Amino acid sequence: MVIGRTGRRMPGVVATLLLAGTAALAVGAATPAQATPESSLRQIVPAPVKVTPRAGAAYALTANARIQTQPGSAEARKVGEYAAELLRPATGYRLPVSSGVTPRGITLLLVGADPRVGKEGYQLDVTPWGVVIRARGAAGLFSGVQTLRQLLPARIESKTRQSGPWTVPGGSVLDYPRFGHRGAMLDVARHFFSVDEVKTYVDQIAAYKVNYLHLHLADDQGWRIEIKSWPRLATYGGSIEIGGGKGALYYTQEQYKELVRYAGSRGITVIPEIDMPGHTNAALASYAELNCDGVAPPLYDGTEVGFSSLCIDKPVTYRFVDDVLRELAALTPGPFLHIGGDEAHSTTEPDFRTFMQKVIPLVAKHGKTALGWHEFVKTDPPTSAVAQYWGTTDENADVAAAAARGNKILLSPATKAYLDMKYDENTELGQDWAALIEVKDAYGWNPGAYLKNVPESAIRGVEAPLWTETIKDSDDVEQMVFPRLPAIAELGWSPQSTHDWDAFSKRLAAQAPRWRAAGIDFYPSPQVPWVE
Ligand code: NGO
């Protein structure tokens, strides 16, 4: 569903669209319009490192086009299959995928890329014969495919067959990310999101070159992942969500594995989070022995925070954590297990320290790296641990000290990157405890120079969290995420030299026809010069 309010229109952007339309109609014939700075080559989000339009070199994808992938590479083949899946519904073309290197149709190669592309970048060249994407690994090919998607007409995003032509403007793109970690978080604990809903989210964030999905799997209101050695966590702890609602509101391990696999097939690594030692009412309600007094509290379906804590002195607590982390690690191909650590207001400072000093080694024991909300840096974690900053100011002495010791920092400042904050006072969904965050605010900061005394070299990347106290389904998600997630994704990917609100807002505006074609229910911010 797409909302009616369209916002302001800028004459320049309308003119651009008309030009692009003319170019698209002139299939195969080179017109100068195809190489104007306004062509889809200039509208990519996140902004690429370098774009070189070439007049007379447009390519039109036709019914007999093939997708060829690097011979001998199963990984490249999978990206080719993914590209075909993306392009088949709207074009109605067969787009068979085979191994091959002829520069005709769409070709995905793992050789010959400019060395500057690194691990995740790509080089994309459009000639009248086809589109060649070169990278040094599957991650780069994925990113190149996302760019190709944005070079095609917006109706490529439709799930039903549309009429062509399917013209790609001539030229080249050289592109690689500023930060290796570009994340989105979905809180499936406050409200549960089905496997299909999470897959939809995966597809939406992948389009903006996000490469990590952090799932907040346990909180006071619900435990959402089956743990075989502690079955009541899911069957009881995962039986309600905010506002009540009884059911099996959790992922079985099989379902979770499928989610992880699906995300991987879109170039996304899943980071599971079990929030501890606070935010644990669902676990405490499921097993009485986890409570210091041996009495299980009732399940909780409200929105307060800071009232629960695991029992720091009991040995069973660490058997429980060890079992959970072991099962979770076995389900996790990625490097991180997120152990929470935020708002442990019911745990004393010495207890919090004791807890983290016992639990962080357990993460390592299961072969993973600990990620935690930034409060845990007070406990002197090993320098391998990554701290996720979610504060409301641009200064935090503990985080700066951790960065100086060598810990990497993942940035999710609540005043900029929290997707659950309202856009303005009229936004129906969301909260406002940290800030009102319009799209210009979400875009208006520099992750490399945001936190005082934390140099860019200490920044691992950015993550946009979506907490779901007020968010119940995919429509709600879309309202809060679009257009702000693309803004945060651009901060994570694009070079600081491209940072420019006017240019970004116009590129963002050009995404709207894509969202409409995909059926994405975005918030039509009055700050953006939307186009039809
Ligand atoms: C805080 C809190 C969460 C809330 C969220 C709502 C962190 C890290 N802990 O962020 O429990 O859901 O705000 O905005």
Side-chain angles (χ1 to χ4, degrees):
M1 181 186 52
V2 171
I3 350 157
R5 196 148 69 85
T6 49
R8 283 179 294 129
R9 263 184 245 164
M10 294 236 330
V13 179
V14 173
T16 305
L17 275 195
L18 291 176
L19 277 178
T22 317
L25 285 173
V27 196
T31 74
Q34 288 163 355
T36 61
E38 295 83 10
S39 85
S40 58
L41 269 170
R42 297 289 187 196
Q43 294 179 330
I44 301 163
V45 177
V49 171
K50 189 168 175 226
V51 172
T52 316
R54 204 167 297 118
Y59 166 68
L61 187 71
T62 53
N64 55 9
R66 311 182 71 83
I67 296 180
Q68 296 175 82
T69 62
Q70 180 69 44
S73 168
E75 282 205 314
R77 176 70 177 234
K78 278 191 202 147
V79 185
E81 299 286 356
Y82 167 68
E85 255 178 66
L86 280 178
L87 305 180
R88 279 176 190 142
T91 60
Y93 300 160
R94 279 185 53 236
L95 301 173
V97 183
S98 59
S99 81
V101 297
T102 5
R104 289 190 175 276
I106 295 169
T107 312
L108 307 180
L109 299 179
L110 291 174
V111 292
D114 184 308
R116 279 174 292 176
V117 303
K119 251 173 54 193
E120 283 192 275
Y122 63 93
Q123 182 187 329
L124 180 151
D125 295 288
V126 185
T127 68
W129 302 277
V131 178
V132 182
I133 299 173
R134 294 183 174 86
R136 303 182 122 191
L141 293 180
F142 266 113
S143 298
V145 166
Q146 301 306 345
T147 293
L148 168 60
R149 203 173 159 181
Q150 290 191 27
L151 295 179
L152 283 157
R155 57 190 185 282
I156 195 69
E157 299 300 332
S158 172
K159 289 169 194 95
T160 57
R161 191 170 174 167
Q162 307 291 308
S163 49
W166 300 104
T167 309
V168 185
S172 298
V173 179
L174 172 69
D175 201 13
Y176 46 88
R178 177 179 181 187
F179 297 106
H181 193 131
R182 302 167 307 279
M185 186 204 85
L186 185 62
D187 168 9
V188 296
R190 270 54 178 272
H191 279 103
F192 181 64
F193 290 79
S194 68
V195 171
D196 282 346
E197 286 172 319
V198 179
K199 284 183 174 176
T200 298
Y201 196 46
V202 164
D203 285 332
Q204 291 171 347
I205 63 179
Y208 294 96
K209 302 185 173 82
V210 167
N211 62 347
Y212 283 94
L213 174 65
H214 165 186
L215 289 175
H216 186 74
L217 288 169
D219 210 302
D220 291 319
Q221 297 86 350
W223 184 286
R224 308 297 179 205
I225 175 80
E226 176 191 17
I227 299 295
K228 298 198 177 186
S229 51
W230 296 75
R232 262 175 72 81
L233 290 170
T235 57
Y236 184 69
S239 63
I240 67 163
E241 58 183 358
I242 285 183
K246 288 241 179 317
L249 306 180
Y250 65 90
Y251 310 116
T252 64
Q253 293 202 353
E254 283 312 307
Q255 288 173 324
Y256 186 80
K257 276 188 214 158
E258 166 56 16
L259 260 184
V260 169
R261 185 207 62 78
Y262 188 85
S265 77
R266 269 90 185 128
I268 292 179
T269 302
V270 173
I271 300 174
E273 177 188 353
I274 299 296
D275 204 346
M276 306 179 273
H279 289 276
T280 43
N281 190 74
L284 296 169
S286 303
Y287 287 96
E289 65 260 46
L290 294 177
N291 296 270
C292 287
D293 61 5
V295 180
L299 290 170
Y300 179 72
D301 68 358
T303 57
E304 293 301 311
V305 296
F307 61 87
S308 56
S309 178
L310 290 173
C311 187
I312 307 304
D313 296 335
K314 277 188 163 181
V316 65
T317 296
Y318 305 96
R319 282 205 303 279
F320 160 77
V321 174
D322 192 25
D323 288 341
V324 169
L325 294 179
R326 186 186 64 250
E327 292 195 35
L328 215 50
L331 296 169
T332 303
F336 294 111
L337 296 184
H338 199 306
I339 52 172
D342 59 319
E343 299 175 314
H345 305 319
S346 300
T347 319
T348 64
E349 280 223 7
D351 275 0
F352 185 68
R353 193 181 179 84
T354 303
F355 180 81
M356 285 298 170
Q357 290 185 344
K358 286 192 179 178
V359 166
I360 292 173
L362 295 177
V363 176
K365 172 180 154 192
H366 297 299
K368 301 294 175 186
T369 300
L371 180 56
W373 298 107
H374 73 258
E375 286 99 316
F376 89 150
V377 299
K378 286 183 293 194
T379 70
D380 300 312
T383 54
S384 59
V386 176
Q388 182 168 9
Y389 180 70
W390 66 282
T392 53
T393 64
D394 58 9
E395 198 165 5
N396 184 301
D398 293 329
V399 171
R405 290 194 297 270
N407 294 95
K408 290 279 185 270
I409 314 299
L410 180 63
L411 288 173
S412 303
T415 50
K416 302 285 181 191
Y418 265 31
L419 299 175
D420 62 319
M421 290 300 124
K422 293 175 183 290
Y423 293 92
D424 62 26
E425 55 282 354
N426 298 321
T427 312
E428 270 175 44
L429 300 169
Q431 311 201 55
D432 58 5
W433 68 263
L436 295 171
I437 306 181
E438 249 295 358
V439 57
K440 191 171 178 180
D441 307 309
Y443 179 75
W445 57 292
N446 174 3
Y450 180 71
L451 270 183
K452 289 218 175 74
N453 302 320
V454 178
E456 175 152 352
S457 57
I459 301 300
R460 193 180 148 79
V462 293
E463 180 191 284
L466 181 59
W467 300 99
T468 60
E469 284 94 336
T470 66
I471 313 296
K472 298 188 181 67
D473 56 27
S474 288
D475 271 356
D476 291 355
V477 170
E478 289 167 6
Q479 271 288 299
M480 303 311 273
V481 163
F482 291 95
R484 291 181 295 191
L485 185 276
I488 304 294
E490 171 142 334
L491 296 182
W493 179 280
S494 305
Q496 178 62 18
S497 59
T498 64
H499 195 100
D500 174 42
W501 164 254
D502 283 339
F504 174 68
S505 65
K506 286 176 193 148
R507 284 185 290 110
L508 200 53
Q511 299 293 307
R514 296 178 186 278
W515 300 337
R516 289 195 194 98
I520 291 178
D521 188 6
F522 66 98
Y523 162 68
S525 163
Q527 297 182 328
V528 177
W530 301 109
V531 292
E532 285 304 327

